[in-house]
Amino acid sequence: MFSQIIEAQVNDLHFKFDEVSGLRSIIAIHNTQRGPALGGCRIIPYSSSQDAIRDAIRLAKGMSYKAALAGLSLGGGKAVIMEPEEPYSRKQLFTAFGRFVDELGGRYITAMDSGATIEDMDVIAQQSPHVTCTSSTGSPAPFTAKGVLFGIEACLKSLPKLSGSLSGLCVAVQGLGNVGYELCGLLHQRGARLIVADIDENKVNACVDLFGAEAVSTDTIHKASCDIFSPCGLGGILTEQSISELQCHAVAGAANNQLLTPECGYLLFQRGILYAPDYLINAGGLIFVAMEHQRWSMEQASLHVQRIEQTLLKIFKKEQQSGQPSNIIADQMANAILFDRSSSQTSA
Ligand code: NAD
């Protein structure tokens, strides 16, 4: 296990078993050099403790990178709860988890992630102040969508073949959930033409009716001829196969972990398709949930979201100069911020 921790440069791993509630949870704290580690709590069935540990470590590292490139005074952490197989009381489980979070004294701040709900965050808040995404926080999705819009604008500025303006350009949006739907509205307001797909027909129909979008199937959206492909649904959708089928100039969307492997970044680069690294372009949500811990006003948080565009422009410029793909450059920039003490108080 120490080899995993050392390889991912994780600061510490915490384990909790609570007999009464059946809680089996792991909190991974990747890095706290820039501030307390903020990251969601995921509750899903894991096939083994090893799987849960691996997930916590991988996700905590991703949160450190995201916070660093977003210029936040926060580190990265993540909690996983192994969902009990037998019937359990959700309230008891999250009460025990809240105590676990509190025992860490604020080194880790928890938030919502897969499987967890706002109600669960409210239960945690009864045990610990180190929680966000409660019912008083509100939804981060509009902030995430705004950040993606700034990311798309950075792509336009970096692609001489596009006009620099969204008006008349075509964006294919995959996944019309909280973020994707919001993004469609922003793009429509700016005169972009939309192609959309979702497994939920109602969401597709709403975009067709309200934004004049063209609907295509979920199997073919990535092949749509468009200027920007915006994945806002599932992760792992950029594979060797799907990349060979893309007909766009840039990929810029909210979904987490879009590249199946880091090597897929090279494939996009070789095809001349600009890729906005996911953890940078979708950082608006993290900026929103961090707002109260950073003691920022809405205006200050919005300025941070705008800076996603500048950071992306920097990355695209470096990509051109260095011949390395954007995902690798983003990782290098995040590592430099995280592990260079002299830059620990400066933003990306
Ligand atoms: P969501 O669950 O509200 O929306 C996801 C949408 O994708 C749903 O409408 C779902 O029906 C659709 N979908 C599922 N499978 C699909 C498929 N095969 N093809 C097309 N559509 C499919 O989630 P969200 O909050 O909108 O987040 C979207 C993505 O952005 C996720 O990957 C999430 O991790 C990431 N993200 C979200 C936020 C946020 O603020 N919500 C922040 C950062 C990253």
Side-chain angles (χ1 to χ4, degrees):
M1 186 184 305
F2 273 105
S3 60
Q4 270 175 278
I5 295 175
I6 294 163
E7 197 190 334
Q9 296 174 294
V10 165
N11 277 10
D12 39 280
L13 266 187
H14 301 267
F15 293 80
K16 179 65 74 186
F17 169 62
D18 176 67
E19 199 170 357
V20 176
S21 62
L23 177 77
R24 282 184 169 79
S25 174
I26 299 154
I27 295 177
I29 297 180
H30 178 260
N31 190 296
T32 53
Q33 191 172 315
R34 292 170 60 82
L38 195 155
C41 160
R42 172 171 284 202
I43 170 166
I44 53 174
Y46 284 96
S47 53
S48 67
S49 315
Q50 208 30 257
D51 271 2
I53 294 168
R54 205 175 299 120
D55 213 23
I57 289 177
R58 178 180 68 87
L59 295 166
K61 183 176 176 181
M63 291 309 296
S64 282
Y65 281 26
K66 189 183 282 212
L69 280 197
L72 300 174
S73 305
L74 287 171
K78 208 83 178 188
V80 300
I81 297 177
M82 301 176 71
E83 187 163 25
E85 283 170 22
E86 59 283 2
Y88 66 96
S89 153
R90 203 154 174 115
K91 187 157 184 213
Q92 271 189 356
L93 198 78
F94 277 92
T95 300
F97 177 72
R99 287 197 296 266
F100 181 22
V101 169
D102 204 55
E103 282 165 14
L104 299 180
R107 265 169 63 69
Y108 168 68
I109 302 163
T110 199
M112 233 165 82
D113 200 328
S114 310
T117 64
I118 290 178
E119 291 73 39
D120 297 331
M121 299 303 114
D122 286 345
V123 172
I124 297 169
Q126 289 169 12
Q127 305 300 320
S128 175
H130 309 302
V131 56
T132 180
C133 297
T134 59
S135 45
S136 59
T137 314
S139 166
F143 255 64
T144 307
K146 237 356 197 331
V148 174
L149 183 73
F150 285 121
I152 290 177
E153 281 168 354
C155 293
L156 301 189
K157 286 183 183 159
S158 306
L159 285 165
K161 57 191 135 193
L162 300 184
S163 65
S165 149
L166 268 165
S167 180
L169 293 186
C170 177
V171 185
V173 182
Q174 178 187 47
L176 306 170
N178 295 316
V179 180
Y181 182 79
E182 191 81 23
L183 178 66
C184 285
L186 296 173
L187 292 167
H188 177 66
Q189 279 168 14
R190 283 155 185 79
R193 195 162 63 76
L194 296 170
I195 300 177
V196 298
D198 197 295
I199 48 171
D200 184 336
E201 227 175 87
N202 293 328
K203 293 178 179 171
V204 173
N205 291 340
C207 283
V208 171
D209 293 345
L210 283 172
F211 311 133
E214 177 193 341
V216 297
S217 75
T218 53
D219 297 341
T220 57
I221 179 93
H222 69 282
K223 303 181 199 172
S225 174
C226 59
D227 296 297
I228 311 280
F229 172 51
S230 186
C232 295
L234 305 174
I237 47 97
L238 295 171
T239 64
E240 195 177 341
Q241 173 72 28
S242 69
I243 290 169
S244 71
E245 294 169 340
L246 291 173
Q247 292 195 65
C248 59
H249 301 299
V251 177
N256 275 313
N257 306 316
Q258 292 169 34
L259 301 171
L260 188 65
T261 64
E263 288 69 37
C264 290
Y266 284 93
L267 299 178
L268 285 163
F269 183 59
Q270 279 161 6
R271 282 213 51 204
I273 297 172
L274 214 51
Y275 170 66
D278 45 15
Y279 63 79
L280 169 58
I281 191 172
N282 72 17
L286 174 64
I287 293 169
F288 177 81
V289 297
M291 193 160 55
E292 59 187 275
H293 287 275
Q294 304 273 296
R295 298 185 198 287
W296 285 339
S297 64
M298 195 58 105
E299 288 70 30
Q300 285 171 304
S302 300
L303 277 175
H304 262 78
V305 177
Q306 274 181 37
R307 282 167 47 184
I308 289 174
E309 181 176 336
Q310 295 311 316
T311 310
L312 263 177
L313 286 170
K314 229 189 257 182
I315 288 177
F316 291 149
K317 196 168 167 200
K318 277 195 187 170
E319 184 178 53
Q320 270 184 341
Q321 291 166 343
S322 69
Q324 279 195 305
S326 56
N327 60 313
I328 302 295
I329 294 169
D331 287 357
Q332 287 167 353
M333 279 172 66
N335 271 319
I337 294 166
L338 287 173
F339 298 108
D340 173 7
R341 285 187 182 277
S342 62
S343 70
S344 65
Q345 289 311 310
T346 58
S347 48

